[in-house]
Amino acid sequence: MRSEGLGSSRQSTLNIHLSTFPLEPPHPLEQLSVEEVNRARGVVRLQRSAALSIVYRDITLEEPRKALLVPFLTAEHAGQLSSKTERLPRLARVLYDVIAADKSLDFCDSVVNVVTGQELSYAVVDKKFHAPLNMDEVELFPKVAMASPLFKEALAELILPENVHIVIDPWMYGGWENPDENSPRYMQGLVYARDPKTNSPDSNHYAFPIPLIPVMDMKTRQIIRVDRLATGGREDGLKYGTGPKEALAHCTAAEYIPELVEGGLRRDLKPLNIVQPFGPSFTVTNNSLVEWQKWRFRVGFNSREGATIHDLRYDGRSVLYRLSFSEMAVPYGDPRSPFHRKQAFDFGDGGAGRAANNLELGCDCLGLIKYFDAVMNDSAGNGIVSKNVVCMHEEDDGILWKHTNYRTGRAVVARNRKLIVQFIITLANYEYIFAYHFDQAGGIMVETRATGIVSTVAIDPGKTSPWGNVVNPGVLAQNHQHLFNLRIDPAIDGQHNTVIQEESHPVPFDPESNPYGNAFEVRQTVLKTSCGINAAPEKGRLFKIVNQNKRNSTSGRPVGYKLVPSPTQLTLAHPDSIMAKRVAYANHHIWVTKYKDGEFWASGRFTNQSSAERGGLKDAADRKEHIENEDIVVWHTFGLTHNPRIEDWPVMPVETHQIHLKPADFFSCNPAIDVPSSKNVTSKLYTGSSGARANGYISAGFSPTKNPVEVEPRKMNKLTDEAPQQVIRACCM
């Protein structure tokens, strides 16, 4: 664990205050710079000078209060900013451990002004809360475990190959079972081995699970116990000790690294390239401001949420103040202890931003790519740059709109160009792909994709389990859920918005009002107090976020956007269980709360080892605040109940969920009616095999000149009585 010793290091407030900024001050929504992170560290170091050492957990931008930021953004969009405009304070929030001379530890929270060098607030976090995990701790855990006599004794109980190489996945400890006590801070680890036959560091160790979980006390840095795991099958119930001593004898390799894949890779796939010869249609200013096809927004990034979207506008009109992923919980459904604690809060326990991949050109995003870097900190408080954590690119998504006048044969087609802002995180075994999609018709789509390797545990030879699926000999992939929460801070033509629940219902037969029985009616309910509501697809339930103070000039309805909730399964843990209490935000699909500065987290601010959700969505909704024509936040819980398939092994194909926000009486007509319907002249007609088979992405003996693909010139038929259908197919402009 790196920390900053403070024995002889002092720095004056004057030095902090006089550090120079660039001539152009940063926008209030831009990330902290490396210099600003270092200044924040310096302020805290000065204020906590009596401490033996400090471990810096997180140094990130403290976003300005909305009451200050909205007038600034209004002036910005009106072109009224100048060098004389008063700038908003540049604040940093710092989470850190203070270790005193007596080795006692306080988890602390400060907000500092990185320009003036002032500490504006300071608090010692209540002992019932624990700091999130950091990378130093993740790296430390396997070293401590492998040196532990307790862990060595547990391994010695098993008969393992002589050349076995142990691999440990550090995990958050999970929920503390006694909510009335202050728990010690623990970490646990899932234990595996490399393939003994190859001992390759790239081998899929999840195919060789070892039925042990060491538990470490994070204060003493000692393994305090090693849990022996149940490995039985359906017939064994909750019994322990049913497995063989030769724990890996029945396990076999299951590889995904190309050079280790059994049978090699398929050889008939030819390249598919995305080319933009005239460059992208987007522009980026100051590495955060994006403008594309009437959209304008800023891309932010922080260690907990990853990429965030701010001040989203279409054609100059405000749509959203802020859009972000708030949380993702992954509870497991195996009732055998200690699996009842196997529950990760991947945003709150560790941080999605800290797990973000450094994306590579031509691999994670295709086409002409803009990358965004992130500035974070190490545990010594030094600002560090993480390269290419967000990618942005354009993508063709099929047809945007089309109509054919069958009388004349004239067809007009507009292609659906989308702008995608994406980041990818790796959390030990799993990968998650998070993306914000913007289309030319004013639509927003938020997408999650889960891939990677299912979390595995050992199972006895020849047995099956009700708590998961056997995906490889000796390998049980446990049933679990992925419970996401999306935070939508709307600003539909302003900050005062209302949510209307809308449903469609059949109308009973009535000789006067519905004599033929075909009528159905739309029922609308204005939500007036903060609450949680479930999806109801059988009623066509959707939610309109509207500005009741502004009406569409044609329909007379309030301008708005509609959200159709994803009716996925909510938490399956018993309501009285610790697991369910920790994830109360997953009790409802939709929550609507009144806006409150700093209230970003569906599961509460501190989740690591919690016994219940505190300061999360349930608490916010329980305030029962008035939400009609107010500054509100809409939260959407959705996800995946993942009962693994054999096809999810060894690496699962992506499991995709999409959430759509679409304009509803926001515009006067289809806002994409002006999208050009140009013909793609690079498209070619394929009329037969070229005779060449691709060898990976290099086709042996194939060249465009020697083996050309047969292309027939496109024929535009004139309108005739004999071939009307041909005309409709041929014309596209």
Side-chain angles (χ1 to χ4, degrees):
M1 175 67 65
R2 288 174 291 175
S3 60
E4 184 183 45
L6 302 181
S8 60
S9 178
R10 297 295 297 269
Q11 184 174 352
S12 70
T13 306
L14 181 64
N15 287 339
I16 297 171
H17 177 64
L18 292 181
S19 296
T20 58
F21 269 112
L23 294 177
E24 181 70 23
H27 190 275
L29 291 172
E30 285 185 25
Q31 299 179 63
L32 295 178
S33 65
V34 169
E35 183 184 25
E36 288 174 318
V37 170
N38 293 339
R39 288 178 181 172
R41 175 201 61 200
V43 173
V44 169
R45 182 176 60 187
L46 179 67
Q47 296 299 322
R48 310 283 95 75
S49 58
L52 177 66
S53 63
I54 294 178
V55 176
Y56 294 87
R57 299 278 171 183
D58 194 31
I59 303 176
T60 192
L61 175 71
E62 176 75 354
E63 295 178 17
R65 290 187 296 112
K66 187 182 279 192
L68 297 177
L69 185 55
V70 168
F72 180 92
L73 296 177
T74 301
E76 179 186 19
H77 292 293
Q80 297 173 350
L81 294 183
S82 69
S83 58
K84 297 181 180 179
T85 303
E86 183 178 355
R87 300 292 163 159
L88 303 183
R90 286 289 281 178
L91 306 182
R93 183 169 289 275
V94 187
L95 294 177
Y96 54 102
D97 296 335
V98 171
I99 303 168
D102 62 359
K103 304 298 183 180
S104 62
L105 184 148
D106 284 329
F107 178 36
C108 300
D109 177 13
S110 292
V111 174
V112 303
N113 186 315
V114 298
V115 177
T116 66
Q118 295 174 297
E119 183 179 60
L120 304 181
S121 68
Y122 163 73
V124 176
V125 178
D126 193 298
K127 296 298 183 182
K128 65 174 174 283
F129 299 118
H130 290 295
L133 306 179
N134 66 20
M135 187 52 64
D136 287 353
E137 293 169 327
V138 170
E139 294 174 354
L140 175 69
F141 184 93
K143 298 175 183 177
V144 172
M146 292 306 298
S148 164
L150 286 177
F151 186 56
K152 291 178 181 179
E153 290 173 9
L155 286 173
E157 296 172 4
L158 304 172
I159 300 174
L160 301 173
E162 291 184 4
N163 66 333
V164 69
H165 186 103
I166 301 298
V167 181
I168 301 177
D169 276 8
W171 263 69
M172 52 290 294
Y173 184 76
W176 192 255
E177 281 127 357
N178 187 348
D180 297 325
E181 66 182 11
N182 293 334
S183 62
R185 189 166 177 267
Y186 287 166
M187 183 187 285
Q188 62 182 350
L190 304 183
V191 183
Y192 304 93
R194 290 180 186 170
D195 178 4
K197 293 182 179 179
T198 66
N199 206 21
S200 168
D202 284 322
S203 70
N204 178 13
H205 57 266
Y206 298 104
F208 297 90
I210 294 175
L212 301 172
I213 289 184
V215 176
M216 181 168 77
D217 185 315
M218 300 306 295
K219 181 178 180 181
T220 65
R221 301 290 194 265
Q222 297 293 320
I223 298 298
I224 58 167
R225 73 172 190 270
V226 179
D227 293 332
R228 277 70 170 174
L229 306 183
T231 61
R234 190 177 303 272
E235 63 271 35
D236 298 311
L238 305 184
K239 291 181 183 177
Y240 292 79
T242 63
K245 292 293 184 181
E246 293 186 80
L248 300 180
H250 57 301
C251 297
T252 61
E255 303 296 359
Y256 63 93
I257 296 294
E259 62 271 22
L260 298 179
V261 170
E262 185 177 357
L265 305 182
R266 61 183 70 180
R267 302 169 68 85
D268 59 351
L269 187 64
K270 298 180 183 180
L272 192 160
N273 296 320
I274 299 169
V275 179
Q276 293 178 272
F278 302 107
S281 299
F282 59 76
T283 61
V284 181
T285 307
N286 294 332
N287 212 39
S288 68
L289 175 62
V290 175
E291 294 175 278
W292 176 84
Q293 293 293 289
K294 301 185 181 180
W295 285 109
R296 187 185 193 275
F297 58 88
R298 290 188 180 271
V299 177
F301 193 93
N302 62 70
S303 60
R304 180 160 176 168
E305 297 168 294
T308 53
I309 303 296
H310 302 260
D311 191 24
L312 182 67
R313 293 171 180 256
Y314 187 94
D315 204 15
R317 294 175 64 186
S318 175
V319 177
L320 300 179
Y321 179 78
R322 194 179 193 274
L323 181 64
S324 61
F325 293 95
S326 178
E327 188 56 89
M328 176 181 63
V330 186
Y332 282 74
D334 191 331
R336 300 172 297 177
S337 179
F339 299 133
H340 67 292
R341 291 199 322 270
K342 194 176 180 184
Q343 180 184 24
F345 287 82
D346 289 313
F347 284 51
D349 288 352
R354 291 201 177 277
N357 292 186
N358 302 108
L359 305 174
E360 292 190 32
L361 193 63
C363 297
D364 302 296
C365 307
L366 300 183
L368 209 163
I369 309 302
K370 162 63 182 176
Y371 288 111
F372 297 88
D373 300 336
V375 176
M376 291 182 278
N377 63 281
D378 62 19
S379 57
N382 301 304
I384 55 176
V385 176
S386 187
K387 301 290 292 183
N388 298 357
V389 293
V390 178
C391 66
M392 184 175 72
H393 66 286
E394 294 175 284
E395 192 172 285
D396 180 275
D397 195 41
I399 291 175
L400 175 61
W401 58 263
K402 176 179 180 176
H403 181 65
T404 301
N405 186 334
Y406 76 90
R407 295 169 181 82
T408 65
R410 179 73 183 272
V412 183
V413 184
R415 301 292 299 180
N416 188 12
R417 183 84 64 89
K418 300 174 73 173
L419 183 70
I420 301 173
V421 179
Q422 175 178 283
F423 66 103
I424 304 172
I425 66 175
T426 297
L427 301 161
N429 55 301
Y430 261 119
E431 266 78 17
Y432 297 92
I433 303 161
F434 298 94
Y436 305 99
H437 295 229
F438 305 94
D439 68 34
Q440 294 161 298
I444 306 163
M445 190 262 281
V446 179
E447 181 180 81
T448 63
R449 298 189 182 197
T451 181
I453 303 177
V454 289
S455 181
T456 61
V457 296
I459 188 169
D460 299 345
K463 294 181 180 179
T464 62
S465 173
W467 316 120
N469 195 13
V470 178
V471 295
N472 214 54
V475 178
L476 178 68
Q478 294 164 309
N479 300 333
H480 57 285
Q481 293 184 282
H482 306 256
L483 300 169
F484 302 94
N485 185 269
L486 176 68
R487 183 181 184 274
I488 305 165
D489 189 343
I492 308 298
D493 272 343
Q495 300 297 320
H496 289 84
N497 292 167
T498 299
V499 173
I500 299 174
Q501 176 184 290
E502 182 175 292
E503 299 175 350
S504 298
H505 292 264
V507 175
F509 267 111
D510 183 273
E512 293 186 2
S513 62
N514 188 23
Y516 305 105
N518 63 308
F520 65 90
E521 63 181 356
V522 177
R523 299 178 188 173
Q524 292 190 331
T525 303
V526 175
L527 304 185
K528 296 184 178 294
T529 57
S530 54
C531 58
I533 304 172
N534 288 343
E538 74 282 1
K539 299 176 182 177
R541 181 177 290 172
L542 57 85
F543 297 87
K544 288 185 175 178
I545 309 169
V546 304
N547 187 329
Q548 292 179 316
N549 308 302
K550 296 192 177 182
R551 299 276 166 170
N552 186 285
S553 59
T554 302
S555 69
R557 295 177 176 178
V559 298
Y561 266 66
K562 72 173 184 178
L563 168 65
V564 180
S566 180
T568 54
Q569 201 161 25
L570 297 169
T571 182
L572 291 171
H574 191 280
D576 294 334
S577 68
I578 295 295
M579 187 173 278
K581 290 177 180 179
R582 300 182 74 209
V583 70
Y585 75 82
N587 290 337
H588 295 290
H589 293 107
I590 296 291
W591 301 79
V592 186
T593 63
K594 190 171 182 179
Y595 175 85
K596 184 179 180 182
D597 283 323
E599 196 166 69
F600 297 122
W601 322 120
S603 52
R605 190 172 175 208
F606 300 112
T607 62
N608 189 21
Q609 222 167 293
S610 63
S611 298
E613 184 181 289
R614 292 186 175 94
L617 273 181
K618 185 178 183 303
D619 288 343
D622 285 348
R623 294 196 296 260
K624 296 300 178 184
E625 294 173 301
H626 185 259
I627 58 171
E628 183 181 8
N629 200 25
E630 296 280 359
D631 190 357
I632 59 173
V633 180
V634 179
W635 316 68
H636 182 18
T637 301
F638 62 97
L640 162 68
T641 297
H642 191 181
N643 304 324
R645 311 168 296 151
I646 195 74
E647 292 83 0
D648 291 332
W649 181 258
V651 178
M652 65 180 283
V654 291
E655 187 80 28
T656 303
H657 282 81
Q658 297 178 341
I659 308 299
H660 294 268
L661 278 164
K662 294 185 177 182
D665 296 289
F666 189 76
F667 299 105
S668 59
C669 66
N670 175 1
I673 204 70
D674 59 351
V675 172
S677 50
S678 58
K679 186 188 301 181
N680 184 278
V681 296
T682 64
S683 296
K684 293 178 172 57
L685 180 64
Y686 176 74
T687 60
S689 173
S690 67
R693 291 177 63 82
N695 180 8
Y697 271 166
I698 302 175
S699 183
F702 173 77
S703 73
T705 55
K706 289 174 61 180
N707 304 92
V709 174
E710 297 176 33
V711 178
E712 179 179 314
R714 189 179 186 95
K715 296 179 180 179
M716 303 297 289
N717 295 316
K718 294 182 179 180
L719 180 63
T720 66
D721 293 335
E722 291 77 17
Q725 294 303 313
Q726 292 178 355
V727 175
I728 292 175
R729 293 194 186 100
C731 298
C732 64
M733 295 179 63

